[in-house]
Amino acid sequence: MCEGSSSEINVDIDALPRSVDLVRGPDGAAAFTYLDERLLPYEERFETTSDWRVIVDAIKTLAVRGAPAIGIAGAAALAVWASKEGARSAAGHGCACDRDAFFELMDPVADEVRSARPTAVNLMWAVDRMRRFARQAAASSGSSWEIADAMVEEVLRMEDEDIASNRAIGAYGAELLGPGTSVLTHCNAGSLGTVLYGTALGVVYTAAAQGKIERVYADETRPVGQGARLTTWELSRVGIPTTLICDNMAASLMAQGKIDAVIVGADRITANGDAANKIGTYGVAVLAKHHGIPFYVAAPASTVDLALADGSQIPIEQRDPSEVLPRPIEGVDVWNPAFDVTPACLITAIVTDRGVFAPADLAAGLA
């Protein structure tokens, strides 16, 4: 840790917008509002849609991103479908088979939403939760309209749970940091990747409010710049001293003793503690290990996939080559994985909303 304590930082969480939110329109039907993160940091535009297909497209194109936010968006897509298309279509089959028709129509929609992005397990977790909930609601509901209404309420509960989860992660993670801490983070695991507050940056916000944060160094995070465009925007709004660096500058900072801890998020964590996060995270973990710097992963329990033994089983999304090379060059191929996997042996601790665990203890701790 750096000597002494950091200067007082006034952390203004109220300056952060709610990045995703399910709302009810004038007709009572559900609509989804999201901050289009493709336009940040220079344009802050909210979009509202009552078309579940638009939500799926927003997930695929990174208008909505970050594992917890993707999960909420996936659940919202099902609720929007139910309140706009599903209940109406099912009702057309007549009262006798209303609910059966509803689920027959819902399953292919859920499958499409679930497959929008393959790595972030929160999306699958949220869609599967909504499927189970809808069938439970059917047991006490008289019609598909009532099931749809219950699904909307479930998404609103999930949003509240996400905020509470992020706050818990922040509280647990802040206990790991001492006064005067300078943090390095990769990609954006902040409020923009959740409903509100954030996972890795939630730890920073809580620690900053306790007077522990000296500065945050944000990797730019090639190739689409989530660190450069999103993390810096978010930290500057909250009032955290921030320095943006190119991805290849982290090693030099560490060698100069300017980094006390690395904190990143995750899109999927396996039973043995391996963690998939934005491409480049693995390299940062290797650097941190070499320089004796603690490397923390912060994520809710919903990001932990105990069904997978280790990181080799995580499906890694391959993105469009144009993200790396906007104009193709004849004879040149592009490899553009969205994520890499950091082995558990490089992770100091995993911070969840249910406590802090050594990677080897994670499965038992969450079982």
Side-chain angles (χ1 to χ4, degrees):
M1 295 297 169
C2 299
E3 294 293 334
S5 61
S6 59
S7 57
E8 183 176 349
I9 298 173
N10 181 24
V11 182
D12 185 12
I13 295 300
D14 291 337
L16 294 173
R18 193 177 177 111
S19 58
V20 293
D21 196 14
L22 190 67
V23 297
R24 291 188 185 272
D27 60 352
F32 183 65
T33 296
Y34 61 93
L35 177 62
D36 189 339
E37 297 188 14
R38 296 169 298 185
L39 305 177
L40 291 173
Y42 303 115
E43 182 179 353
E44 188 177 330
R45 181 194 300 172
F46 287 88
E47 302 286 355
T48 299
T49 181
S50 56
D51 186 339
W52 68 272
R53 298 172 187 84
V54 173
I55 303 174
V56 171
D57 185 67
I59 294 171
K60 289 181 176 179
T61 61
L62 307 184
V64 175
R65 45 143 302 280
I70 289 173
I72 296 297
L78 274 186
V80 165
W81 169 84
S83 65
K84 280 288 185 181
E85 299 178 32
R88 184 185 306 113
S89 299
H93 287 72
C95 293
C97 58
D98 181 11
R99 287 180 291 183
D100 291 341
F102 180 86
F103 290 117
E104 185 176 340
L105 293 165
M106 183 186 75
D107 283 338
V109 173
D111 289 341
E112 184 171 344
V113 174
R114 199 178 187 276
S115 63
R117 295 194 69 188
T119 302
V121 75
N122 296 68
L123 178 58
M124 298 79 172
W125 168 84
V127 171
D128 291 346
R129 171 172 166 171
M130 288 295 288
R131 277 174 148 160
R132 291 192 301 271
F133 176 81
R135 284 176 165 79
Q136 291 167 0
S140 57
S141 299
S143 71
S144 56
W145 294 106
E146 291 174 329
I147 298 171
D149 189 66
M151 290 172 69
V152 172
E153 291 300 316
E154 179 70 357
V155 175
L156 297 178
R157 278 190 291 272
M158 291 171 72
E159 291 185 7
D160 290 341
E161 289 172 11
D162 182 69
I163 297 172
S165 170
N166 296 336
R167 291 282 188 174
I169 290 170
Y172 284 122
E175 295 179 1
L176 301 172
L177 306 180
T181 298
S182 288
V183 170
L184 174 70
T185 191
H186 189 77
C187 194
N188 173 265
S191 192
L192 292 171
T194 65
V195 175
L196 189 67
Y197 203 68
T199 54
L201 292 190
V203 174
V204 169
Y205 297 148
T206 302
Q210 297 172 358
K212 294 180 175 180
I213 298 297
E214 186 74 30
R215 177 165 294 273
V216 174
Y217 290 90
D219 281 345
E220 62 177 340
T221 318
R222 287 280 299 151
V224 295
Q226 295 95 328
R229 296 185 302 105
L230 307 179
T231 297
T232 57
W233 178 86
E234 186 174 324
L235 290 168
S236 64
R237 287 185 66 124
V238 170
I240 304 290
T242 304
T243 299
L244 173 65
I245 64 170
C246 297
D247 291 351
N248 59 358
M249 298 175 182
S252 293
L253 274 179
M254 291 179 180
Q256 294 174 33
K258 292 186 177 181
I259 304 298
D260 300 306
V262 178
I263 309 175
V264 300
D267 287 79
R268 191 182 303 219
I269 303 171
T270 56
N272 73 329
D274 292 350
N277 193 49
K278 185 56 56 184
I279 188 71
T281 303
Y282 176 29
V284 175
V286 171
L287 292 173
K289 184 74 169 181
H290 176 75
H291 290 92
I293 299 168
F295 184 95
Y296 301 119
V297 174
S302 57
T303 300
V304 180
D305 187 354
L306 295 178
L308 299 187
D310 58 59
S312 68
Q313 299 174 334
I314 298 175
I316 300 298
E317 175 185 359
Q318 296 292 324
R319 301 285 300 176
D320 194 304
S322 65
E323 291 180 348
V324 176
L325 190 65
R327 298 178 62 182
I329 299 174
E330 186 176 355
V332 175
D333 295 326
V334 173
W335 183 59
N336 186 23
F339 307 94
D340 57 23
V341 177
T342 299
C345 61
L346 298 179
I347 299 171
T348 306
I350 297 172
V351 185
T352 76
D353 47 352
R354 291 166 56 181
V356 178
F357 302 95
D361 299 331
L362 180 66
L366 297 182

